Amino acid sequence: MAAAALTREGGEDAFRRLFRFYRKRDASDLRGVVDFSAPGDQVFRSQLSISAVSDQDAYRAGLQPVSQWKAYGLSGYPGFIFIPNPFLPGCQRHWVKQCLKLYPEKPNVCNLDLHMAPEKTTDLWGQSKEQLRRKGSSKWEPRSLLEKLRWVTLGYHYNWDTKKYSANHHTPFPSDLAFLSEQVAAACGFQGFQAQAGILNYYHFDSSLGIHVDESELDHSRPLLSFSFGQSSIFLLGGLKREEAPTAMFMHSGDIMVMSGFSRLLYHAVPRVLPNPEGTALPSCLDQALSSDLPVGSVIEHSSDEDWQVCAKYLQSSRINMTIRQVLAEGQKFPEESGTNGKGQATSEESYHENTKAKRHKPNTV
């Protein structure tokens, strides 16, 4: 295959060569990308801890009973678990709305805070919803603030320059997202997982995520959880060194990825965002409405038709990804730091995101 041949060429490391290959190729040249909806030889079924999550708690998080989930592993990647869309009908809508309407609100931090006055970023949803609702297909229409959103941080806020978290830059972690994360982690054998930090990434069809390792958390024994919504993407999972060629796989709306154990500290990247494979404006799983009957204690909320129209318009050309981490082990504290500012926030806007139409924003890859 052409992709395999690229890994043997000189010059760039193997990961960068494949990143560039999938970044530039058109959607018809995606042979060799693992598709968990039709698993191949490299894929095997993973066992879940079905008894660790009650059906009631799964329902409360908007998930099917764990006994109905499918979970897969990849040969050569111990600790990697892929769960194709386990969400109940309509429940993905809640998380999309939270990522667009609630989670970008203060005191959480987003990329727009780095070059806009605080009063300008206090209500991104309110400032954007009418513009999004009216938006046509023209590329020349001005972008709303929500469309300029690239990342939001939750809980312990990640510093993009120092690549560290700190005790003095922390805000309450959303309780609904913490509950969802705890159920998924428990189902994967990680009971007692604490959702302490989140990075939400907002992608468009010209976006990518640079090659990096998530190693800033002080406790690497706990998994990294990744949730995807909206349009699809190609995800590259490599090795401990960039000289090792990565495996490419599709991520579709509702898919969950867990990186733990050996796979917790592997290089990874997103070179490409793709239209969902059904060929429709939105994947069919997002067309499903939420049931009128929600269980007692559910963290899922009904979205108004008006709110969902704005979210749906946004997702027609976008993908949202939530990555959730436990930063500290039980009883662990941050080491004393010197010379940090009070907020511990980065000064560069897009150290994590790449956009080919904005070459000045290069990612700080690790």
Side-chain angles (χ1 to χ4, degrees):
M1 280 186 57
L6 276 175
T7 67
R8 297 190 291 270
E9 293 179 2
E12 295 177 302
D13 61 72
F15 201 126
R16 172 56 65 176
R17 285 195 294 274
L18 275 179
F19 182 95
R20 285 163 55 85
F21 175 82
Y22 286 114
R23 183 82 188 99
K24 293 180 179 179
R25 299 291 170 169
D26 63 32
S28 65
D29 189 10
L30 298 176
R31 295 166 296 169
V33 180
V34 174
D35 188 346
F36 288 96
S37 64
D41 295 339
Q42 194 177 356
V43 175
F44 58 88
R45 286 295 292 265
S46 284
Q47 297 297 313
L48 295 169
S49 301
I50 295 175
S51 62
V53 179
S54 69
D55 289 356
Q56 184 70 9
D57 280 346
Y59 288 139
R60 288 175 60 207
L63 299 164
Q64 301 174 31
V66 178
S67 59
Q68 297 180 21
W69 298 8
K70 293 180 179 178
Y72 300 99
L74 274 177
S75 298
Y77 297 96
F80 176 80
I81 304 171
F82 193 101
I83 305 169
N85 183 15
F87 289 94
L88 289 167
C91 289
Q92 288 187 53
R93 292 186 175 192
H94 169 83
W95 303 109
V96 172
K97 184 192 71 173
Q98 297 296 78
C99 287
L100 291 174
K101 185 175 182 178
L102 182 67
Y103 297 157
E105 290 183 351
K106 299 294 172 282
N108 299 328
V109 181
C110 71
N111 63 291
L112 299 178
D113 296 324
L114 305 182
H115 56 85
M116 295 179 67
E119 62 271 15
K120 298 289 188 181
T121 61
T122 53
D123 185 16
L124 301 181
W125 176 267
Q127 296 183 67
S128 303
K129 60 182 182 180
E130 288 303 325
Q131 188 177 351
L132 270 171
R133 189 182 292 112
R134 297 192 309 267
K135 198 171 185 65
S137 58
S138 172
K139 295 181 180 180
W140 306 111
E141 292 183 69
R143 291 186 302 163
S144 66
L145 287 179
L146 275 179
E147 291 172 295
K148 295 179 181 179
L149 198 60
R150 290 295 175 264
W151 53 260
V152 168
T153 54
L154 310 171
Y156 288 113
H157 296 283
Y158 188 65
N159 184 313
W160 303 101
D161 282 348
T162 66
K163 298 182 173 62
K164 292 181 179 180
Y165 302 93
S166 65
N168 64 359
H169 197 203
H170 174 269
T171 56
F173 194 93
S175 59
D176 57 347
L177 185 51
F179 186 76
L180 170 69
S181 303
E182 289 159 9
Q183 308 318 306
V184 171
C188 294
F190 296 94
Q191 289 181 287
F193 175 85
Q194 299 176 48
Q196 296 175 335
I199 297 178
L200 315 180
N201 278 291
Y202 302 80
Y203 299 85
H204 306 296
F205 284 132
D206 58 356
S207 302
S208 62
L209 180 67
I211 305 165
H212 68 285
V213 176
D214 290 296
E215 59 185 357
S216 300
E217 297 74 29
L218 275 64
D219 181 14
H220 294 154
S221 69
R222 311 304 273 173
L224 176 76
L225 310 180
S226 173
F227 303 85
S228 289
F229 305 107
Q231 301 300 324
S232 300
S233 71
I234 295 175
F235 179 80
L236 298 180
L237 181 62
L240 294 171
K241 299 179 179 180
R242 287 176 53 147
E243 287 70 27
E244 300 177 48
T247 296
M249 63 197 80
F250 290 114
M251 289 194 75
H252 303 304
S253 191
D255 290 348
I256 300 174
M257 202 168 56
V258 179
M259 295 170 67
S260 67
F262 171 79
S263 293
R264 177 63 179 77
L265 295 174
L266 299 182
Y267 280 100
H268 54 279
V270 176
R272 194 73 192 281
V273 176
L274 301 165
N276 86 83
E278 299 171 68
T280 51
L282 291 180
S284 57
C285 59
L286 288 170
D287 287 335
Q288 299 168 307
L290 188 63
S291 168
S292 58
D293 295 324
L294 293 174
V296 175
S298 175
V299 302
I300 302 297
E301 301 172 343
H302 285 95
S303 298
S304 68
D305 290 341
E306 180 185 28
D307 281 357
W308 179 245
Q309 287 174 11
V310 176
C311 293
K313 193 72 172 181
Y314 176 90
L315 287 183
Q316 286 181 12
S317 60
S318 304
R319 168 182 179 255
I320 299 172
N321 179 254
M322 311 187 301
T323 57
I324 314 303
R325 308 107 189 282
Q326 178 169 335
V327 177
L328 301 168
E330 188 73 35
Q332 189 177 21
K333 295 183 179 180
F334 288 101
E336 291 292 329
E337 295 184 42
S338 60
T340 59
N341 60 36
K343 290 188 176 181
Q345 189 57 34
T347 55
S348 57
E349 177 185 347
E350 306 226 10
S351 53
Y352 207 52
H353 251 282
E354 254 184 301
N355 185 313
T356 53
K357 292 185 178 179
K359 293 294 186 181
R360 64 186 180 279
H361 295 316
K362 289 292 184 180
N364 295 330
T365 52
V366 183

